[in-house]
Amino acid sequence: TFDFAGEAVGAMAAADLAVFVVDASSGLDHATVDLWRQAADRGLPRLVFVNKLDREHTNFEMVLGELQAAFGAGVAPLEIPIGVAEGFHGIADLLTDTAWIYDSGSAELGEIPEEMEEREHQIHDSLVENIVVADDALLERFLDGEVPSFEELEKVLGRGVAGGTVFPVVCGSATIPIAVDRLCNYIVEVGPAPSDRPPVPVTVGTATLDVAPDPSADALVHVFKTAVDPYLGHVSYFRVLAGTVQRDLHLSNGRTGDDERFRNVMSLQGGESVDVDSLPAGDIGAVAKLSDTRTGDTLSATGRAAAPAIGFPTPVLSVAVTARSRNDEDK
């Protein structure tokens, strides 16, 4: 059975931004609200993608209202859909006051439909006002009648996202696809970089140190997930908290004190893994066949470091799996 909650919590421990995908036909559910609370407790920036707008019985305005009622005034739409259900064919960009029309996954700049113009302009003006109040210099120029540029708005918006005060809402359909490319762009453009995030408090002996993602520091790795691959065997997924992880690097496990050798270092690209020579601080990767490393372990040069506990939910079902023979144990 796939442990969605456990997988999500583990991913939060390694992420710089949580993207919440909400079904436009069914709206906000309990699992999303619970995971949002956990992301908030971790101080993790959040973004919402309202999906499946090509389905019947969808209502973007209703879903947006549910999000704002549940998560507060920081929920800010950056897009609104053009068309409904099977007629959904594009989005209006509220930051730039433009429309993007999609055909077979490709987008072209188009006109905002006349029946949407008044509503779109209202939301655009409200969005701009809410963004500029976060920057005194930009607000002063805005009050003097100057129109902020897209780049200025995006920069201030990014600071709000990183600070956990603004939660952008974008929309589309992953299956057609519509606006998935824009979602990826927003993750890059307004999502925080590792250097924008607060240092990680790491316990070393009896002291607690704030660790920044410095690639020139000693290597420090936190394992947030463990899986068994039919070809690679035991695979540990990790985030590089500091330093640079290179192939054949030796680090010590803070739980066991044992030496672990990174025989290979893999970069994750969707469902694929690609061998790389090194991964710098802030990156996420995987390594196969560590001898005795578990989810939640911290590996460092000294072997005495411990990153904050991931805090997985309490299991409600326990299952034990035993290999038929010793030869099958790694599989």
Side-chain angles (χ1 to χ4, degrees), residues 66-81:
E66 291 178 352
L67 291 167
Q68 291 173 330
F71 306 136
V75 173
L78 303 186
E79 300 172 341
I80 55 176

Side-chain angles (χ1 to χ4, degrees), residues 13 21 39 43 55 57 63 78 86 107-108 154 181 192 201 223 232-233 258 268 317 324 330-331:
V21 180
R55 303 285 182 88
H57 311 299
V63 174
L78 303 186
E86 292 183 356
E108 290 187 359
E154 189 176 70
D181 55 335
V223 177
L232 297 175
D258 293 342
L268 307 175
L317 176 66
R324 290 182 178 179
D330 286 341
K331 300 179 181 179

Side-chain angles (χ1 to χ4, degrees), residues 238 245-247 262-267 274-276 279 286:
F238 61 86
V245 172
Q246 299 175 326
R247 187 182 303 166
F262 285 64
R263 294 176 176 83
N264 66 325
V265 178
M266 295 177 284
S267 176
V274 179
D275 286 338
V276 294
L279 291 172

Side-chain angles (χ1 to χ4, degrees), residues 7 37 49 74 98 106 108 163 166 168 171 176 181 219 238 247 276-278 282 300 313 328:
E7 292 278 340
R37 176 187 57 78
F49 179 67
T98 56
S106 298
E108 290 187 359
V166 179
C171 60
I176 298 181
D181 55 335
F238 61 86
R247 187 182 303 166
V276 294
D277 292 329
S278 63
S300 65
D328 293 331

Side-chain angles (χ1 to χ4, degrees), residues 287-298:
V287 58
K289 299 180 179 179
L290 297 181
S291 60
D292 187 20
T293 290
R294 304 174 185 173
T295 300
D297 284 353
T298 305

Side-chain angles (χ1 to χ4, degrees), residues 162-324:
T165 59
V166 179
F167 314 112
V169 179
V170 295
C171 60
S173 172
T175 54
I176 298 181
I178 291 179
V180 176
D181 55 335
R182 293 180 56 83
L183 168 63
C184 295
N185 289 338
Y186 276 122
I187 291 173
V188 173
E189 292 163 2
V190 304
S195 57
D196 297 326
R197 303 281 292 127
V200 178
V202 175
T203 302
V204 181
T206 59
T208 299
L209 305 178
D210 288 334
V211 175
D214 179 2
S216 64
D218 290 337
L220 181 66
V221 166
H222 188 210
V223 177
F224 65 90
K225 176 180 177 179
T226 305
V228 177
D229 184 274
Y231 302 104
L232 297 175
H234 184 278
V235 179
S236 300
Y237 295 82
F238 61 86
R239 175 170 177 134
V240 186
L241 300 181
T244 299
V245 172
Q246 299 175 326
R247 187 182 303 166
D248 287 326
L249 176 70
H250 286 257
L251 294 176
S252 295
N253 187 310
R255 177 179 56 84
T256 65
D258 293 342
D259 177 81
E260 295 280 19
R261 177 189 171 197
F262 285 64
R263 294 176 176 83
N264 66 325
V265 178
M266 295 177 284
S267 176
L268 307 175
Q269 300 177 8
E272 303 293 326
S273 57
V274 179
D275 286 338
V276 294
D277 292 329
S278 63
L279 291 172
D283 216 335
I284 291 174
V287 58
K289 299 180 179 179
L290 297 181
S291 60
D292 187 20
T293 290
R294 304 174 185 173
T295 300
D297 284 353
T298 305
L299 290 84
S300 65
T302 64
R304 297 185 298 117
I310 294 176
F312 288 105
T314 303
V316 295
L317 176 66
S318 297
V319 177
V321 179
T322 304
R324 290 182 178 179

